[in-house]
């Protein structure tokens, strides 16, 4: 089987890429909504590349259960990797497109802007310092299709669309369907359950409808760790025998036996977090007459996560209360994430003028609860469970869109008003406070017995708490020209003004020319921008702690741009990122059923917003400089610190072939992306070395932590009542820099194989069994110095650390 897998991969490398294409007579399903406001184009006629993923067909046979996981295996320029031991980031997966950041991809729902999460990624994962959109809040049972525009589109849609746009389109069909899925990893953990039901019916006359979806899911935790060389009892065995882990394990085991304990008691929980989720969505449209109709859509999602922090070992006297945890502990981070969205609007058609007025609202709230932990400075009086606070983000967008088709032209213009608000709420006092030996809040010169706050995740304090808002106003215009499907020209311009940083003007020009029937070239060039998110401007989790020298209480953590620390170091207020995006390629159909596209691109981003490394500066701790109560030992800051350049190429090939009485579809897709930092922007009078301002580990996250090369080859064959899937996904090499404690490690390329077999029990019932990563492929083992003395056996890179996963699914249509 491994030889067969390799052969299939080689074929994929020769042909390079893939995506599903319907036969010519069925291409009405591939009418494109995203990327232009001419609703008569198919994906074959767009001047920029657009993927169309029929979720119902793909999800029926695929092992993946969420929108981001499905996209990760069918679109090579899209990446999503589950993280572990990374606070909130392991509860909301960061996703990227074309190697850019999670916040440089705009997500739409039914063509309307979707809100982001309230979570800032700051645990040195992919997308560090960014804020993305949680695709898992939208149940797959509710999705009809997903359009992925692989080109900059800020001139059309505004902020965030530097890398591209993902448009999720909800179902509107009549009838009922249901799906039941159960799965389990090859190591008997990570068990998954998912049950979904969708019901649609006509509403009123003509084209009115209402479609409802309910989905419940559970994903169990996984354990992917080894603990053979931990210095559990402070005897320095692991350090002394770091080059011989077997000796370290032997000495630790002897110590454990002396104490009458077992090694299992000291195991770390490192792997995928447990996630439980419930979702209810709707999509509705009601025509009052032939010219006027109302529409509304949206939904509610509640997600409860259970992740694990770093273990506190028995010898860490300053971090643990031994009367409560004599053998140390591993704290549990429990999340409650509420996501709400709804849109209401009306469309009016008069003399072929289409007027669309809408209001779209969305909010995301992330609550933190920490258990199995302590506030060591309270001693025996410490609670073991803390409410550590919350953050939330809401967005309300009003759109007026007007369009009209006049012969070969389609003109569109409109405006947008958007209001955004970000809030941080404080947790329990004990979750963030450093106490002295008398149980009072510690101050400079106080005597303390241990670390303050809830260990593993220190709660937000009243000093962190805030509520900030802003608004923006935009106007846009675009025009497209189509000449008998031979020549397509799109031009767009957008002016936008933000209340917190000013105005920006962006434009785009895209052209497609079919010089011979079924052979076309296309190209696009445009400017773009991304406004700094409120989360990046105001997120902070600074906390009181003992200074490194041990002679007083200081503040450490992340400080926002309004802080005294940022002012003293000379950090400017955050401003927008600006970009220039260019692409060129061709499409061809050399034979019936064969479709090929090749698109190269370059994206230059200036003033990209990142979070710095931990900065130490003597001025921060000098009271004469920062003032009483503002002393800081070290901190991290958000800054427009770098310029980047991203180059790449996407190649897509698909072929439909009638074979032996059945239908074979060959889908191949490949992407190569390379991002380089071209310049740094330091505060003028900051004396910090680059390694402390933006260190090698941070550069690594931008340039080499995601695969530069990714490709997939999918074969689906349907005959009679059977349907077969074999799909290989190639994840190129990545590099991980363990700075400042570890070393640089290269992870070799890997191939993951998915297989499934489906059978139509009846006309309306289908049963599918299969596997993701059937050959149990993992990333390379981490080198010792990057593994926290062997605990982190695998890094969460490439395909992640789940390993083989087997599933069964029942699909019903009523």
């Amino acid at each position: 089987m491994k030889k067969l897998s390799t052969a299939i991969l080689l074929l994929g490398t020769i042909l390079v890429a893939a995506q599903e294409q319907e036969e010519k007579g069925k291409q009405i399903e591939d009418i494109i909504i995203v990327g232009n406001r001419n609703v008569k184009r198919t994906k074959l006629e767009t001047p920029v590349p657009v993927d169309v993923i029929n979720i119902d067909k793909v999800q029926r046979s695929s092992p993946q259960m969420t929108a981001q996981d499905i996209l990760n295996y069918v679109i090579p320029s899209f990446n999503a990797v589950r993280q572990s031991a990374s606070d909130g980031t392991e509860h909301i997966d960061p996703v990227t497109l074309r190697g850019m950041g999670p916040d440089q991809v705009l997500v739409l729902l039914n063509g309307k802007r979707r809100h982001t999460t309230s979570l800032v990624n700051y645990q040195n994962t992919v997308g560090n310092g960014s804020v993305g959109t949680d695709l898992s809040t939208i149940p797959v049972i509710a999705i009809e299709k997903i359009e992925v525009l692989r080109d900059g589109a800020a001139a059309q849609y505004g902020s965030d669309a530097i890398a591209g746009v993902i448009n999720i389109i909800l179902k509107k069909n009549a009838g009922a369907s249901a799906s039941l899925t159960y799965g389990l990893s090859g190591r008997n953990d990570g068990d998954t359950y998912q049950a979904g039901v969708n019901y649609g019916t006509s509403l009123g006359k003509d084209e009115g409808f209402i479609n409802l979806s309910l989905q419940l899911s559970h994903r169990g935790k996984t354990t992917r760790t080894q603990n053979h060389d931990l210095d559990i009892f402070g005897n320095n065995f692991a350090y002394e025998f770091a080059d011989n882990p077997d000796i370290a394990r032997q000495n630790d085991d002897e110590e454990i036996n002396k104490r009458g304990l077992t090694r299992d008691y000291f195991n770390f929980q490192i792997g995928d977090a447990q996630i439980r989720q419930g979702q209810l969505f709707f999509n509705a449209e009601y025509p009052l007459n032939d010219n006027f109709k109302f529409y509304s859509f949206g939904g509610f999602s509640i997600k409860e996560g259970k992740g694990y922090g770093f273990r506190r070992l028995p010898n860490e006297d300053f971090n643990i209360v031994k009367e409560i945890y004599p053998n140390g502990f591993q704290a549990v981070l429990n999340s409650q994430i509420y996501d709400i969205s709804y849109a209401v609007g009306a469309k009016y058609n008069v003399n072929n003028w289409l007027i669309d007025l809408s209001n779209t609202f969305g909010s995301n709230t992330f609550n933190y609860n920490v258990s199995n932990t302590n506030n060591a400075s309270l001693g025996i009086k410490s609670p073991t469970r803390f409410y550590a606070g919350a953050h939330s983000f809401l967005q309300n967008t009003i759109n007026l869109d007007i369009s009209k088709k006049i012969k070969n032209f389609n003109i569109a213009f409109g405006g947008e008003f958007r209001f955004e608000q970000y809030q941080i709420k404080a947790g329990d006092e004990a979750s963030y406070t450093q106490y002295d030996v008398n149980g009072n809040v510690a101050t400079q010169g106080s005597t303390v017995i241990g670390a303050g706050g809830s260990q593993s995740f220190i709660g937000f304090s009243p000093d962190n708490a805030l509520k900030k808002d802003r608004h923006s106003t935009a106007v846009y215009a675009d025009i497209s020209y189509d000449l008998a499907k031979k020549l397509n020209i799109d031009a767009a311009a957008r002016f936008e003004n933000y209340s917190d940083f000013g105005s920006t003007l962006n434009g785009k020009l895209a052209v497609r020319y079919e010089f011979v029937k079924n052979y076309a070239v296309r190209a696009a060039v445009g400017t773009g921008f991304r406004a700094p998110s409120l989360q990046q401007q105001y997120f902070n989790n600074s906390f009181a702690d003992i200074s490194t020298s041990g002679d007083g209480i200081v503040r450490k953590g992340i400080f926002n741009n309004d802080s005294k620390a940022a002012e003293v170091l000379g950090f400017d207020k955050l401003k927008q990122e600006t970009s220039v995006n260019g692409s060129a390629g061709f499409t061809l159909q050399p034979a019936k059923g064969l479709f090929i596209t090749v698109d190269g691109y370059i994206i230059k981003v200036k003033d990209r917003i990142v979070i710095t490394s931990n900065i130490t500066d003597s001025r921060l701790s000098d009271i004469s400089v920062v003032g009483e109560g503002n002393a800081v030992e070290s901190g991290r800051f958000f800054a427009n610190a770098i310029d980047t350049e991203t180059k790449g190429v996407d190649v897509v090939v698909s072929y439909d072939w009638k074979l032996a009485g059945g239908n074979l579809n060959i889908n191949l897709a490949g992407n190569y992306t390379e991002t380089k930092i071209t310049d740094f922007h330091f505060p003028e009078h900051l004396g910090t070395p680059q390694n402390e301002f933006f260190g090698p580990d941070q550069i690594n996250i931008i340039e080499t932590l995601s695969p530069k090369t990714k490709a997939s080859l999918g074969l689906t064959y349907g005959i009679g009542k059977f349907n077969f899937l074999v799909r290989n996904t190639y994840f190129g090499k990545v590099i991980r820099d363990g700075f400042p404690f570890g070393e640089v490690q290269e992870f070799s390329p890997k191939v993951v194989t998915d297989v499934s077999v489906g059978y139509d029990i009846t006309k309306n019932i289908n049963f599918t069994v299969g596997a993701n990563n059937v050959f149990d492929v993992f990333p390379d083992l981490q080198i010792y110095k990057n593994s926290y003395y062997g605990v982190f056996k695998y890094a969460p890179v490439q395909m992640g650390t789940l390993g083989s996963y087997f599933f069964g699914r029942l699909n019903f249509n009523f």
Side-chain angles (χ1 to χ4, degrees):
M1 289 294 290
K2 288 185 177 180
K3 291 183 178 179
L4 174 61
S5 172
T6 303
I8 293 174
L9 175 65
L10 290 175
L11 175 60
T13 303
I14 295 172
L15 295 175
V16 187
Q19 101 182 38
E20 187 173 336
Q21 177 198 2
E22 299 298 321
E23 295 179 1
K24 193 73 174 179
K26 298 180 181 179
Q27 284 179 357
I28 187 66
E29 297 179 5
D30 288 343
I31 293 294
I32 302 300
I33 296 176
V34 71
N36 67 85
R37 292 175 172 85
N38 184 349
V39 296
K40 298 300 182 182
R41 287 184 184 165
T42 71
K43 69 180 182 182
L44 305 182
E45 300 165 356
T46 58
V48 292
V50 180
D51 297 307
V52 181
I53 311 301
N54 186 313
I55 289 296
D56 186 56
K57 291 182 179 179
V58 173
Q59 201 265 342
R60 178 180 290 263
S61 58
S62 292
Q64 291 75 35
M65 295 170 59
T66 63
Q68 70 264 25
D69 288 339
I70 290 173
L71 294 178
N72 196 35
Y73 279 86
V74 298
I75 299 181
S77 58
F78 181 97
N79 278 285
V81 182
R82 295 177 189 172
Q83 303 298 314
S84 61
S86 56
D87 291 346
T89 302
E90 63 180 322
H91 301 249
I92 299 177
D93 299 332
V95 303
T96 63
L97 186 66
R98 284 186 163 179
M100 306 297 288
D103 52 6
Q104 293 167 326
V105 181
L106 176 63
V107 177
L108 308 176
L109 185 63
N110 281 358
K112 305 297 182 182
R113 175 180 285 266
R114 179 127 179 114
H115 61 281
T116 65
T117 73
S118 58
L119 176 73
V120 179
N121 300 303
Y122 63 91
Q123 289 290 320
N124 288 349
T125 62
V126 171
N128 198 38
S130 67
V131 179
T133 301
D134 188 2
L135 299 181
S136 72
T137 58
I138 305 171
V140 292
I141 194 73
I143 302 173
E144 174 189 326
K145 63 180 180 179
I146 300 178
E147 301 172 344
V148 180
L149 169 65
R150 293 179 277 115
D151 196 67
Q156 296 151 300
Y157 297 105
S159 179
D160 305 350
I162 288 178
V165 180
I166 297 173
N167 185 27
I168 299 173
I169 300 172
L170 300 178
K171 290 179 179 178
K172 56 184 178 182
N173 57 289
S177 62
S179 178
L180 295 172
T181 303
Y182 173 75
L184 188 69
S185 82
R187 287 160 179 74
N188 295 317
D189 60 6
D191 53 316
T192 57
Y193 309 84
Q194 187 176 84
V197 61
N198 174 265
Y199 175 74
T201 186
S202 59
L203 191 65
K205 299 180 181 180
D206 301 322
E207 299 179 354
F209 66 87
I210 184 169
N211 190 281
L212 304 172
S213 301
L214 173 65
Q215 184 171 288
L216 304 174
S217 58
H218 163 89
R219 187 188 83 194
K221 69 178 183 179
T222 63
T223 301
R224 301 290 182 267
T225 185
Q226 57 186 15
N227 301 295
H228 59 256
D229 47 6
L230 276 177
D231 183 20
I232 293 176
F233 295 105
N235 296 306
N236 291 318
F237 294 134
Y239 296 92
E240 184 178 352
F241 300 105
D243 294 330
N244 195 332
D246 291 334
I247 297 178
R249 181 184 178 91
Q250 178 182 346
N251 281 278
D252 273 349
D253 284 341
E254 290 176 359
E255 192 71 31
I256 290 170
N257 291 333
K258 287 179 184 178
R259 300 181 183 224
L261 300 171
T262 64
R263 174 166 286 276
D264 288 340
Y265 192 89
F266 301 98
N267 279 346
F268 275 64
Q269 170 60 46
I270 301 295
D272 294 345
Q274 174 184 290
I275 300 291
R276 294 178 178 176
Q277 195 163 11
Q279 299 150 306
L280 178 64
F281 265 64
F282 74 97
N283 187 24
E285 192 171 285
Y286 183 76
L288 289 179
N289 52 50
D290 292 341
N291 298 323
F292 191 78
K293 57 186 175 184
F294 289 105
Y295 62 88
S296 184
F297 57 86
F300 172 76
S301 167
I302 179 172
K303 180 190 294 187
E304 293 183 344
K306 185 178 182 180
Y308 296 81
F310 272 77
R311 185 166 177 74
R312 269 50 176 177
L313 302 177
N315 62 314
E316 297 181 31
D317 296 334
F318 193 72
N319 293 324
I320 65 173
V321 180
K322 287 203 170 183
E323 293 86 349
I324 302 176
Y325 299 109
N327 297 299
F329 62 85
Q330 186 173 13
V332 178
L333 181 62
N334 303 279
S335 67
Q336 288 182 322
I337 307 170
Y338 300 97
D339 198 278
I340 302 171
S341 64
Y342 64 84
V344 293
K347 293 181 180 179
Y348 184 59
N349 193 329
V350 54
N351 296 326
N352 290 325
W353 284 96
L354 179 61
I355 303 172
D356 183 350
L357 178 64
S358 65
N359 186 91
T360 306
F361 173 85
S363 72
N364 179 272
T365 301
F366 197 124
N367 294 284
Y368 295 87
N369 292 278
V370 194
S371 60
N372 197 48
T373 184
N374 62 221
N375 180 327
S377 69
L378 278 173
I380 192 62
K381 297 179 181 179
S382 172
T384 58
R385 175 181 288 271
F386 303 81
Y387 169 64
H391 44 66
S392 62
F393 175 74
L394 70 82
Q395 174 182 282
N396 192 81
T397 307
I398 300 173
N399 286 101
L400 174 64
D401 302 301
I402 302 171
S403 63
K404 181 179 177 65
K405 185 170 180 61
I406 305 174
K407 294 184 178 181
N408 295 328
F409 291 90
N410 192 87
I411 60 173
F413 57 91
E416 177 179 287
F417 178 82
R418 187 164 71 251
F419 173 82
E420 297 175 335
Q421 185 179 87
Y422 176 63
Q423 186 172 6
I424 296 177
K425 298 179 181 179
D428 299 335
E429 181 185 282
S431 75
Y432 57 79
T433 300
Q434 173 83 54
Y435 295 96
D436 64 20
V437 291
N438 298 313
N440 300 316
V441 176
T443 57
Q444 191 71 23
S446 297
T447 301
V448 299
I449 60 173
S454 47
Q455 284 293 296
S456 181
F457 186 89
I458 295 178
F460 297 107
S461 73
D463 290 339
N464 303 138
L466 50 79
K467 179 187 285 188
K468 299 288 184 178
D469 59 60
R470 73 173 175 198
H471 63 268
S472 66
T473 305
V475 292
Y476 76 88
D478 66 39
I479 184 170
S480 62
Y481 174 77
D482 296 335
L483 179 61
K485 298 185 178 181
K486 295 292 185 181
L487 176 65
N488 312 108
I489 302 174
D490 288 349
R494 185 182 184 95
F495 173 82
E496 194 148 357
N497 177 267
Y498 281 77
S499 61
D500 53 352
F501 70 81
S503 301
T504 179
L505 175 64
N506 294 278
K508 181 177 179 179
L509 176 66
V511 179
R512 174 187 178 272
Y513 177 62
E514 188 173 293
F515 54 92
V516 178
K517 185 177 181 181
N518 296 328
Y519 292 79
V521 293
R522 59 188 181 186
V525 63
T527 62
F529 78 102
R530 190 189 72 80
S533 67
L534 288 176
Q535 295 92 315
Q536 290 173 320
Q537 293 185 70
Y538 297 110
F539 175 78
N540 68 107
N541 70 339
S542 56
F543 54 89
D545 199 5
I546 297 295
S547 68
T548 303
S549 61
D551 60 358
I553 306 297
V554 295
R555 296 196 70 78
K556 302 177 181 178
I558 298 174
F559 297 86
N560 62 37
N561 285 98
D562 279 349
S563 66
K564 186 66 176 180
E567 178 187 335
V568 167
L569 294 182
F571 281 97
D572 294 328
K573 301 295 184 184
L574 292 183
K575 59 185 178 181
Q576 75 270 31
E577 303 172 350
T578 58
S579 67
V580 176
N581 189 310
S583 64
F586 60 86
T587 68
L588 58 146
Q589 292 176 269
K592 183 180 179 180
L594 178 61
F595 176 57
I596 302 170
T597 68
V598 179
D599 293 279
Y601 55 89
I602 181 170
I603 308 168
K604 294 185 177 182
V605 181
K606 184 174 177 57
D607 298 322
R608 187 164 169 175
I609 300 172
V610 295
I611 188 170
T612 69
S613 300
N614 199 52
I615 296 174
T616 301
D617 190 293
S618 60
R619 290 172 293 173
L620 297 179
S621 56
D622 188 341
I623 295 178
S624 65
V625 175
V626 298
E628 187 70 35
N630 293 318
V632 171
E633 182 175 80
S634 61
R636 304 175 71 189
F637 305 84
F638 290 93
N640 296 93
I642 61 174
D643 298 341
T644 63
E645 181 178 271
T646 299
K647 297 178 181 179
V649 61
D650 291 318
V651 186
V652 173
V653 180
S654 66
Y655 183 57
D656 290 307
W657 183 16
K658 291 191 179 298
L659 178 67
N663 295 309
L664 174 66
N665 179 261
I666 304 174
N667 295 321
L668 304 108
N671 168 262
Y672 176 81
T673 295
E674 182 177 23
T675 297
K676 291 291 185 183
I677 296 176
T678 58
D679 200 5
F680 293 91
H681 308 298
F682 301 150
E684 185 177 353
H685 299 294
L686 183 65
T688 304
Q690 180 178 313
N691 282 357
E692 291 186 31
F693 179 79
F694 199 70
D697 54 332
Q698 303 302 315
I699 295 173
N700 164 233
I701 291 171
I702 298 290
E703 295 188 341
T704 54
L705 190 56
S706 296
K708 291 184 179 180
T709 305
K710 189 178 171 187
S712 68
L713 168 62
L715 305 175
T716 59
Y717 183 66
I719 182 169
K721 294 185 176 183
F722 287 92
N723 190 77
F724 303 90
L725 165 71
V726 178
R727 180 173 61 212
N728 276 336
T729 304
Y730 172 88
F731 295 87
K733 76 173 184 179
V734 299
I735 297 173
R736 189 167 183 267
D737 194 325
F739 179 87
F741 306 108
E743 296 179 348
V744 176
Q745 179 181 1
E746 180 178 299
F747 294 81
S748 61
K750 303 291 180 179
V751 177
V752 170
T753 303
D754 293 353
V755 296
S756 73
V757 178
Y759 178 72
D760 294 330
I761 300 173
T762 69
K763 181 180 179 181
N764 297 319
I765 302 176
N766 171 272
F767 179 61
T768 300
V769 294
N772 166 238
N773 197 357
V774 68
F775 297 121
D776 199 34
V777 175
F778 276 81
D780 294 342
L781 288 171
Q782 287 212 97
I783 58 176
Y784 187 82
K785 289 186 177 181
N786 287 358
S787 67
Y788 190 60
Y789 303 105
V791 173
F792 288 87
K793 186 176 181 181
Y794 300 103
V797 296
Q798 295 165 305
M799 77 295 298
T801 62
L802 179 63
S804 58
Y805 167 81
F806 304 90
F807 79 100
R809 179 178 294 127
L810 273 170
N811 296 291
F812 305 88
N813 289 303
F814 305 100

